[in-house]
Amino acid sequence: MIFSRFKPFVYLFRQPRHSVGLLSFILLMALFNSTAQAVTARQFVDLQQGDSAFKGYRRAHAKGICIQGAFHSNGNLAEYTFARVFSKGTSEFNGRFSIAGNNPYAPDLKAPVRSLALNFAMSSTQVWRIAMNTPPVMAVTNPTDFYQQLQAIKQGPQAIKSFFKQHPESQDFLNWKSGYTATNSFAEETYHSINAFYLIDQQGQRQAVRWYFKPVSGDTKHQAFEGDNALQQELISRLSAAPVRFDWVFILAQPKDDENNPAKRWPAERKHIVAGQVEINQWQEQLKGACHSINFDPLVLPPGIEPTQDPILRARSAAYAESYHRRAKEALKGAFEEADNE
Amino acid sequence: MNNHPLKFSLSMRIMHWAMALLIVAMLAAGLSMVGSLDPWQFTLLNLHKSFGIFVFILVLIRLALRLKSRLPELPKALPSWQKLAARSTHSLLYLMMLLMPLSGYLMQYFAGRPINVFDWFYLPASIEVDIQAFAFFRELHGYSALALILLIIIHVAAALHHHFIRKDSVLRSMM
């Protein structure tokens, strides 16, 4: 009889004290089950850090340089958001230029992706963290596919080729890639939010946006550098002459644009608004600057800006937290003591 | 001599069971969200933080209630080591109930992340980020959670032991 298999359960119902144990067991199993199928933050960061992690450093974008500067808002975005940073005026920030990869000593010019991250700490209750990359879109739309993309990159050109073939949604990314040439300078790249966010206005209306930082070219010619630290040296040399400037440009989505899809570019005719100019004027080595302690989690947002449901955006927060937790523990255990004694 | 009530006061019983539910939910949320990359993770994380503040306030009220009310006595027949075990478990449970929200808030404070409480107001964070202080409170938060889970298991096991094996009035005094 099939019921004989359930004898232990009948016993449990007669013994209430055991059913408590059973109940907690079922709850635990449900918990594990719900997380078992999807890629976890740990798996993700394990893949990023590779076989030997650089203790105390970020697991992704490990190599970078700290910066400081100010954003001069022209007030053009203020009708779309009550975020204080976009009312007319100046907000100071600190931040970080970095290159993709897990190696804090990697050669600058070989990295496929460059990044600019900012931290606006406007007050103790208003903070905005921004993490931008050179590509305008992701190749994929969810963290599981992104995990497989990273695996394919590690496996080599053949694997990544067949990965893109299986993922037609990567078309916009591939189009961008074929037209992109890396420059010799952090200051001459365009940096994109990639994911979309909502601007919230005084009436509570929301507008989906993406944004990018567009380099403002100065008049002076700049020397190109070579070697492992070419990008950092170039930046330092520029900053010794003049501030590095970017226009902060917002792209406004139309209702038919899917703000939750980070792989799809919005049509070029969408409204663009220049919200003001970002001016970078100081730098520090990353271990000596304020940026090293900061987790540039793009979901740290001030009132007036809210996240979309974009699965990659949501996943970034958890993955960054896992990376931050790992290096924070290492920092607590004195990962940089040797460096400090030098 | 016999002025000890048989049951905990109604307010303390309500507080106990409401907080039991809240705390188990907080622990489940905490454990599941640290690993997840799913879109609900961020929403759950914000709820966890908001409810953390709420639970902290409840713990303070509950401690005040406990200090000013008369409590049922432990059964006279109970061996003294079990009385001691009961008292220490209860003290440790209160300690963990205080440590959990405090360490949770302080880790966010030193990471420079203001806490949005139910979309109602923000709790302040440090302008300067201190990664080592973050790490200390992040570890404290994690280990306190494990200690709290262990204490809850001991607490539940002891309550069931009183009710089903010793068949005394301890569990009923909280019903």
Side-chain angles (χ1 to χ4, degrees), chain A residues 291-305:
Chain A
C291 75
H292 179 69
S293 286
I294 298 173
N295 171 10
F296 291 97
D297 175 349
L299 292 188
V300 177
L301 296 164
I305 298 167

Side-chain angles (χ1 to χ4, degrees), chain A residues 41 124 129 293 297 318 325 328-329 331, chain B residues 35-36 111-113 125 129 132 135 139:
Chain A
S124 61
R129 305 252 163 95
S293 286
D297 175 349
H325 184 200
K329 268 197 288 192
Chain B
S36 175
R113 301 173 65 130
V129 176
Q132 294 194 339
E139 293 306 275

Side-chain angles (χ1 to χ4, degrees), chain A residues 49-157:
Chain A
Q49 75 179 25
D51 298 331
S52 53
F54 290 89
K55 288 216 183 310
Y57 287 93
R58 276 166 228 269
R59 290 339 195 219
H61 295 253
K63 188 179 182 191
I65 181 168
C66 292
I67 51 165
Q68 278 158 297
F71 168 56
H72 306 288
S73 168
N74 56 22
N76 287 351
L77 208 66
E79 64 172 292
Y80 295 98
T81 173
F82 61 88
R84 202 194 288 169
V85 69
F86 292 116
S87 49
K88 205 167 164 29
T90 296
S91 307
E92 291 186 352
F93 62 82
N94 58 15
R96 187 171 180 265
F97 279 112
S98 66
I99 57 169
N102 57 10
N103 180 353
Y105 310 103
D108 278 347
L109 296 175
K110 292 218 169 115
V113 171
R114 295 162 187 180
S115 306
L116 174 55
L118 300 185
N119 169 50
F120 286 97
M122 293 157 279
S123 76
S124 61
T125 53
Q126 287 208 26
V127 178
W128 190 5
R129 305 252 163 95
I130 295 171
M132 298 171 291
N133 288 330
T134 38
V137 282
M138 299 287 302
V140 292
T141 59
N142 64 69
T144 307
D145 288 348
F146 189 34
Y147 185 79
Q148 284 160 7
Q149 185 193 347
L150 291 182
Q151 280 181 321
I153 291 170
K154 289 210 166 184
Q155 283 157 20

Side-chain angles (χ1 to χ4, degrees), chain B residues 55-148:
Chain B
V55 172
F56 180 68
I57 295 165
L58 287 184
V59 180
L60 295 182
I61 297 173
R62 187 170 167 191
L63 269 172
L65 274 177
R66 188 183 170 108
L67 290 177
K68 79 173 194 52
S69 11
R70 280 190 323 228
L71 308 177
E73 261 190 326
L74 284 168
K76 295 221 160 47
L78 205 63
S80 59
W81 74 266
Q82 285 190 23
K83 284 185 178 167
L84 181 68
R87 285 194 196 103
S88 3
T89 311
H90 293 152
S91 310
L92 286 171
L93 276 166
Y94 274 101
L95 178 69
M96 290 307 151
M97 285 191 278
L98 289 169
L99 263 186
M100 286 303 295
L102 278 175
S103 58
Y105 172 57
L106 286 171
M107 71 187 242
Q108 297 302 315
Y109 178 85
F110 286 109
R113 301 173 65 130
I115 293 176
N116 179 346
V117 184
F118 296 118
D119 276 331
W120 177 24
F121 64 93
Y122 281 82
L123 279 185
S126 169
I127 299 276
E128 301 281 317
V129 176
D130 183 338
I131 192 170
Q132 294 194 339
F134 162 81
F136 176 79
F137 289 108
R138 173 65 183 80
E139 293 306 275
L140 187 62
H141 196 62
Y143 286 113
S144 303
L146 293 182
L148 182 54

